[in-house]
Amino acid sequence: DGGITQSPKYLFRKEGQNVTLSCEQNLNHDAMYWYRQDPGQGLRLIYYSQIVNDFQKGDIAEGYSVSREKKESFPLTVTSAQKNPTAFYLCASSKTDPIMYSNQPQHFGDGTRLSIL
Amino acid sequence: EDQVTQSPEALRLQEGESSSLNCSYTVSGLRGLFWYRQDPGKGPEFLFTLYSAGEEKEKERLKATLTKKESFLHITAPKPEDSATYLCAVQAQGAGSYQLTFGKGTKLSVIP
């Protein structure tokens, strides 16, 4: 079955530590996204990538970094500069249409819950 | 700035009691409006895309409608398994605008 796999499901970070969240998709989608979800708030975009080796900052990119070396993979690193990293992190992907800036829906993985030790 | 407001924040229904969820939006040209369902501890599951005012989409007990300022998700004769948080998101027109702006969601509880 095609889908988006996020790992691990739960992750704990120590002070001063960088941690990396994995996101893999086998939907053959060009675009991939990282969101952060906090209780009582809407999903907020951290980074997105429309094509391999290219990515853009979203609304809350400070303290995070990403890479896009393969179409299928879009890992997110939460750095020690992110002072409030406790949240539910969601990865998504979608088809794209460079001409129409397609309104294809984004499909989500089941998230990684990050907590501070 | 694009904005999405969902109401109510929470809704409690008896099984079989129909109701509607509201999504009001302001966007500089709507490219698409999306409805998602999210279960606790899971990622959002795509339900519908609406593109233009007057459009309607249906799936089982759910029906989504769209006007120029808001969208409604109508739930007919809900069952306990319809309990979830329902999210609304908009995509604006413009170059490179793959981004979505999400509302905070409506948490629906259906009591047997």
Side-chain angles (χ1 to χ4, degrees):
Chain A
D1 283 341
I4 300 172
T5 301
Q6 291 188 240
S7 62
K9 190 170 178 66
Y10 300 96
L11 187 59
F12 297 90
R13 195 192 87 170
K14 296 179 181 178
E15 289 288 336
Q17 185 182 42
N18 293 352
V19 292
T20 298
L21 285 61
S22 171
C23 178
E24 302 277 334
Q25 56 99 359
N26 60 5
L27 299 168
N28 199 31
H29 288 169
D30 288 308
M32 297 187 73
Y33 314 80
W34 274 106
Y35 292 90
R36 170 178 171 142
Q37 188 173 36
D38 294 281
Q41 295 201 36
L43 274 68
R44 292 183 290 168
L45 183 65
I46 304 172
Y47 270 97
Y48 66 102
S49 168
Q50 298 173 13
I51 195 169
V52 174
N53 292 322
D54 187 43
F55 47 83
Q56 286 77 43
K57 293 181 179 180
D59 299 323
I60 55 166
E62 186 174 351
Y64 301 98
S65 65
V66 294
S67 63
R68 186 87 186 277
E69 297 177 0
K70 298 187 300 181
K71 185 176 182 177
E72 301 80 16
S73 179
F74 192 40
L76 173 74
T77 296
V78 183
T79 74
S80 57
Q82 173 50 246
K83 297 307 179 187
N84 184 24
T86 297
F88 190 48
Y89 290 87
L90 288 160
C91 177
S93 70
S94 71
K95 295 180 182 178
T96 61
D97 178 342
I99 297 175
M100 295 299 294
Y101 299 106
S102 171
N103 48 13
Q104 296 295 318
Q106 295 179 16
H107 297 272
F108 287 81
D110 275 341
T112 292
R113 189 166 299 280
L114 176 62
S115 303
I116 295 294
L117 277 179
Chain B
E1 182 181 335
D2 302 335
Q3 288 190 336
V4 177
T5 302
Q6 292 188 246
S7 62
E9 290 184 12
L11 181 62
R12 222 174 132 88
L13 299 174
Q14 291 292 323
E15 184 173 1
E17 178 187 1
S18 301
S19 188
S20 296
L21 314 182
N22 178 263
C23 171
S24 297
Y25 64 90
T26 55
V27 65
S28 54
L30 181 70
R31 185 172 297 281
L33 184 142
F34 303 84
W35 280 100
Y36 288 85
R37 168 194 170 123
Q38 186 176 23
D39 293 303
K42 299 286 189 180
E45 174 190 349
F46 170 70
L47 293 173
F48 304 110
T49 308
L50 301 167
Y51 302 108
S52 58
E55 188 175 2
E56 299 182 352
K57 294 270 180 77
E58 286 189 68
K59 179 180 179 180
E60 296 181 356
R61 295 177 292 282
L62 300 177
K63 179 179 177 181
T65 62
L66 181 65
T67 72
K68 289 187 178 180
K69 293 183 179 181
E70 58 191 349
S71 177
F72 291 94
L73 185 65
H74 307 277
I75 303 176
T76 302
K79 298 181 177 182
E81 53 262 41
D82 294 321
S83 298
T85 296
Y86 291 86
L87 304 175
C88 172
V90 297
Q91 184 180 31
Q93 293 180 351
S97 61
Y98 293 105
Q99 296 185 60
L100 298 182
T101 300
F102 280 85
K104 296 180 180 181
T106 293
K107 183 175 181 180
L108 174 66
S109 301
V110 182
I111 312 302

